[in-house]
Amino acid sequence: RAALREYSRQGRASLLAALLFCLLFQPVWAFQAQAALFGDFTVADEAKLGKEFDIMVRSRLPLVQDPEIIGYFENMVQRLSTQMPPQPFQFQVSVIRHNAVNAFAVPGGYIFINTGLMTAMEDESAVAGVLAHEMAHVTQRHIASRIERAQAISLLSMVGALAGAFLGGDAGSAAMFGSAAAAQAAMLNYSRSDESEADQVGMSYLLASGYRPQGMVEAFQVLSRPQWITGSDFPSYLSTHPAITDRIADMSARIRKLSPQPANKVNEKDHAEFLRIQALVRGRYANYETALQHFNEKIATVKNKGELAINYMGRGIRHNRRNQVKDATAAFKKAVELSPNDPIIMREAGRFHYLKGSRDEAMKLLSSAIRLNSHDYLALFYYARLLDDSGQTAQAVASYPTLLRYIPESAEVPLHYSQALGRSGQMFYATLHMAYRALYDQNPTPLGQFPHL
């Protein structure tokens, strides 16, 4: 009977894996066969288009997998969305590893944020201002309205058109190649009235959420600088934004008319968190030379211990990317000394020591990171690997199911889980999770690796 129950359980697990494979790999062209033509573009159509665009981005572009970075933006979006009228869908956030200063939202509430946006801005309110503007395009159904007025096109063509309009550079061109989308991309560019409405509605969201409305003005001032509006990587939808200087003037005038006048003082708590996440993003994903120069300049001028510590952390990350172990070790040591209760610093230092083979130091630092923030799932991931490497395989096996829930699309989690299961003798489940690993192995951003910049 026990053997029969085990066989039945294994059979159900195999069936689940097969169904999961079918769901995950349903291709976009499957929808083309439906000849999906839109007259009235309904909310259900918006959700379908957004989902297919999300699938395309996830299959073609490198995404950030760090839950701390993703969670930071999710909290910002949640804070903004609570001030909006009831929406038919929840906003979903993805972070693209790209240095272009860009963020955009597509029908269905899918929001995409480039890492370059975070490193270009100087305050959380500026980032929130860009997101509020893009979210307003969705709540006001600007793209949906344009699709309704367009000639009937297939869902596949619309996905390609969105890519051409929003992604820019090689990614957008590649997505449109061979489809009818190129002719439709220009149709999706926002009009002057769309932009004006998104400015006005987005600023209302920003103000109601407790952010400085001046942040939106500051963000558009950054976007108007020449270095951000040149080059093939700059998305066409931003380069064609109408009269950005006029819009900056209009937004500034609106703020001056507000009564009572909103405070323009930066919230210290928000700013401290912004600087921590910005240092992490800059350390991992920004250009090596410019990021290192930034950290060095901050270390030479900053007086606040907490801010000084995160810049040492960023410098350690940068040195580690060039395999400059001695310099990275010194930088992480200084960061830990200055701010021993910062969970991100403890995690990054622990991850560094784990990967260089200093297990005792890694165990101490990662344990501190988890104690300070039990929801830091990247710290838990490296801690589980450390347990397994140290012969504590049963404890490691117990940790991985939590990681699978919170880092669901990484190929590395099921890879190391399957290895731990194999060492513990659970061969069926080890094979099953190795299959999951194969499913997610298309993600171009492994958890434990940095891009080569």
Side-chain angles (χ1 to χ4, degrees), residues 51-233:
K51 182 178 180 181
E52 286 306 306
F53 184 82
D54 183 61
I55 291 172
M56 188 212 73
V57 169
R58 290 178 180 279
S59 66
R60 299 187 185 211
L61 297 178
L63 299 181
V64 171
Q65 290 290 320
D66 187 336
E68 290 299 298
I69 296 173
I70 298 169
Y72 174 78
F73 289 113
E74 286 177 338
N75 290 338
M76 196 182 303
V77 167
Q78 176 63 26
R79 181 171 166 180
L80 291 166
S81 64
T82 56
Q83 304 305 322
M84 299 175 181
Q87 297 299 311
F89 31 67
Q90 286 188 324
F91 287 98
Q92 301 182 51
V93 177
S94 296
V95 183
I96 300 171
R97 199 195 74 217
H98 199 290
N99 288 332
V101 185
N102 190 17
F104 58 92
V106 301
Y110 292 88
I111 300 175
F112 301 89
I113 305 163
N114 280 15
T115 52
L117 178 72
M118 188 66 174
T119 56
M121 299 301 166
E122 297 178 0
D123 173 55
E124 181 172 307
S125 293
V127 178
V130 174
L131 297 185
H133 172 93
E134 298 305 326
M135 293 166 74
H137 279 306
V138 175
T139 63
Q140 306 311 111
R141 301 190 77 239
H142 289 152
I143 294 178
S145 297
R146 287 184 168 276
I147 291 174
E148 286 177 347
R149 294 194 296 269
Q151 293 181 352
I153 55 175
S154 70
L155 179 64
L156 177 62
S157 294
M158 281 192 286
V159 171
L162 285 177
F166 287 126
L167 296 179
D170 295 338
S173 300
M176 295 197 314
F177 183 76
S179 75
Q184 299 292 338
M187 173 270 295
L188 294 179
N189 283 333
Y190 297 127
S191 67
R192 182 181 294 271
S193 62
D194 289 341
E195 295 293 3
S196 179
E197 184 176 29
D199 291 343
Q200 300 299 317
V201 173
M203 184 171 287
S204 297
Y205 296 156
L206 194 67
L207 187 60
S209 301
Y211 287 111
R212 298 181 307 114
Q214 296 86 349
M216 182 178 285
V217 176
E218 293 163 7
F220 279 78
Q221 288 171 338
V222 170
L223 291 171
S224 67
R225 294 172 187 167
Q227 65 264 38
W228 300 130
I229 55 176
T230 57
S232 62
D233 285 335

